[in-house]
Amino acid sequence: MPRNAVIGVDIGTSSSKGVLVGLDGTLIRSAVREHTPDRPGPGRFEMDASVWWREFTELARELTTAGTTVVAVGVSGMGPCVLLTDEHDTPLRPAVLYGVDTRSVAQIDRIEKRFGADEIIRRTGSALTTQAAGPKIAWIAEEEPELYARARRLYMPSSWLARKLTGAYVLDHHSASQCTPLYDTHAGDWYAPWAAEVAPGIDLPPLRWSGEAAGVITAEAARETGLPAGIPVTTGTIDAWAEALSVGAQHTGDLMLMYGTTMFLIHTVPEPLTSPSLWGTVGALPGTRNLAGGMATSGAVTNWLRDLFAGADHTELTRLATESGPGANGLLMLPYFSGERTPVMDPDARGVIAGLTLSHTRGDLYRAALEATGFGVRHNIEGIEAAGGDIRRVVAVGGGTQGALWTQIVSDITGRPQELRTVTIGASYGGALLAAQLVADVSLDDWNPVRETVTPRPDHTGRYDELYALYRRLYPDTVATVHALAALQDR
């Protein structure tokens, strides 16, 4: 008899990942499609939505295997992104990506002056930053008015997949709460007065929770994907929140650390908390609230170094970084290679490598990049606690948890143990979990039990405390110079 299974697919910044999972949580098969965002100008990151659908169909066909019957599909994706379509759902331009795209600085300033920075935080939970979808929509309206005149609908990667699979036009509440200033976190709905000004003419999608069904697969989608018609598809959510669900980090006091191309942090709180240097959002599940942060680059920097060091892969560089030892032989890095999101909130920040000598090696540089992520995590944790957060448990997830060095460095720097679940593949597995819960009584602890806990090493604490103090000084000491350089890069 065929085994019932679910598929989860996540559209990420550098790849699309898919998993086929049994209803007991067993990972049967996984597949990946790598891609690269377009960079049409300084501070601009875009992607054609046709890539999302093409890769989904390829993954669905590759994952479907003899002996299994797919009974539900879960979707997630990077975000908040802005894909605008006309009334026929024809994309009008490539999607503008999340906070790595920093083009909307002028729109942020104008919207803040119009509505008031404090009032925006009070109503929406977050300050306006390059992470927010609202200013990106406003940028398109102002810079591409003829195109915008035809815009009628707003999609993100997860909602675009849901549309292509089911025909439904929906968005989850969490993704909507990152469309600042369009969503009122207190009312749990779009805020019509501000939406009419910031996104005029856009018919904003009806809202559902991430685990609710968007609809069922249509006959046309079944032909394109090879999946059975009539099976349910989740509404889905932004990838980091699906990652958190995949490892059970949605209880009050939990902090999820997502090790990926970027680093994301999600702290679950009992009531709304706000901070000018973090994002206050609703959660992926009904009744949950989060205080979240995100670093614009983490794994992106290690990938950059790998590419510079032609012939070396991450395994080799990790070995060399281990030999380098705590402190990277006196190197210190600011990981702001694509500007920085929280808590710096500076799109014109740039990467800095301080202390270089002719004696430094590839391992030292790679170690400095891993440690830079750890220092950034510690900076965000301090911001979360200053805003009233109460972190009781840290759970790690994502590709960067493979191999012990990176997670160990972060625990050493922050002084926080990190729980690792058996499966840390991330958002696609979280999407599969939500899909399974549409059709079966599924428990995360049964699906994905705890595998190990990474504990801080006390003998490294003093060294990292000293370096962290230098890390915190390095940005203010260099900000004027890097801003001047950023202005030159924009010419």
Side-chain angles (χ1 to χ4, degrees), residues 263-323:
M263 170 66 79
F264 222 91
L265 306 91
I266 302 173
H267 178 45
T268 303
V269 295
E271 58 187 20
L273 291 179
T274 60
S275 167
S277 61
L278 296 161
W279 305 308
T281 73
V282 299
L285 302 179
T288 56
R289 298 276 183 169
N290 300 124
L291 193 60
M295 299 169 61
T297 58
S298 55
V301 179
T302 60
N303 288 340
W304 172 73
L305 287 170
R306 176 202 59 194
D307 294 343
L308 284 182
F309 304 144
D313 60 17
H314 286 302
T315 300
E316 171 67 7
L317 290 169
T318 297
R319 183 186 67 80
L320 295 173
T322 302
E323 295 174 357

Side-chain angles (χ1 to χ4, degrees), residues 161-491:
L161 293 184
R163 174 64 175 175
K164 297 287 285 185
L165 287 167
T166 71
Y169 178 46
V170 295
L171 186 67
D172 67 290
H173 280 275
H174 168 72
S175 296
S177 74
Q178 290 212 44
C179 290
T180 312
L182 309 183
Y183 182 90
D184 186 331
T185 59
H186 304 287
D189 204 352
W190 300 112
Y191 186 55
W194 288 359
E197 288 196 41
V198 176
I202 303 297
D203 177 20
L204 294 172
L207 299 175
R208 297 181 185 172
W209 292 102
S210 306
E212 292 185 280
V216 299
I217 291 181
T218 65
E220 179 182 358
R223 286 192 295 271
E224 291 191 59
T225 64
L227 296 171
I231 65 172
V233 178
T234 66
T235 297
T237 191
I238 288 174
D239 51 6
W241 273 256
E243 299 248 7
L245 293 173
S246 78
V247 290
Q250 73 275 351
H251 304 290
T252 297
D254 287 351
L255 175 70
M256 182 214 71
L257 298 182
M258 183 190 83
Y259 291 77
T261 305
T262 66
M263 170 66 79
F264 222 91
L265 306 91
I266 302 173
H267 178 45
T268 303
V269 295
E271 58 187 20
L273 291 179
T274 60
S275 167
S277 61
L278 296 161
W279 305 308
T281 73
V282 299
L285 302 179
T288 56
R289 298 276 183 169
N290 300 124
L291 193 60
M295 299 169 61
T297 58
S298 55
V301 179
T302 60
N303 288 340
W304 172 73
L305 287 170
R306 176 202 59 194
D307 294 343
L308 284 182
F309 304 144
D313 60 17
H314 286 302
T315 300
E316 171 67 7
L317 290 169
T318 297
R319 183 186 67 80
L320 295 173
T322 302
E323 295 174 357
S324 173
N329 286 311
L331 282 188
L332 188 62
M333 180 184 294
L334 290 181
Y336 306 155
F337 285 58
S338 295
E340 186 55 303
R341 297 188 285 176
T342 67
V344 174
M345 298 292 197
D346 182 359
D348 293 323
R350 292 294 182 268
V352 174
I353 305 174
L356 276 169
T357 71
L358 296 176
S359 299
H360 282 111
T361 66
R362 296 181 300 173
D364 296 331
L365 283 163
Y366 199 81
R367 177 94 187 198
L370 299 178
E371 291 177 344
T373 300
F375 294 133
V377 169
R378 181 168 169 175
H379 195 184
N380 273 282
I381 284 176
E382 290 178 354
I384 289 170
E385 292 182 328
D390 179 17
I391 299 170
R392 305 170 195 169
R393 182 177 69 143
V394 180
V395 185
V397 67
T401 62
Q402 305 303 311
L405 182 60
W406 199 359
T407 52
Q408 185 65 64
I409 286 172
V410 172
S411 279
D412 291 345
I413 289 173
T414 63
R416 308 269 179 166
Q418 296 176 77
E419 182 182 286
L420 293 174
R421 296 270 177 165
T422 302
V423 178
T424 61
I425 198 169
S428 56
Y429 193 77
L433 171 67
L434 290 180
Q437 290 175 339
L438 289 175
V439 295
D441 183 13
V442 170
S443 163
L444 184 279
D445 287 333
D446 292 335
W447 255 51
N448 197 12
V450 176
R451 181 182 81 232
E452 65 175 297
T453 299
V454 181
T455 58
R457 295 174 294 192
D459 54 323
H460 293 170
T461 299
R463 183 64 182 275
Y464 280 134
D465 285 346
E466 180 183 8
L467 287 168
Y468 180 65
L470 295 174
Y471 174 88
R472 290 295 302 273
R473 284 169 46 191
L474 189 57
Y475 172 69
D477 286 350
T478 60
V479 66
T481 299
V482 299
H483 280 184
L485 292 172
L488 291 176
Q489 292 165 2
D490 288 342
R491 291 180 184 174

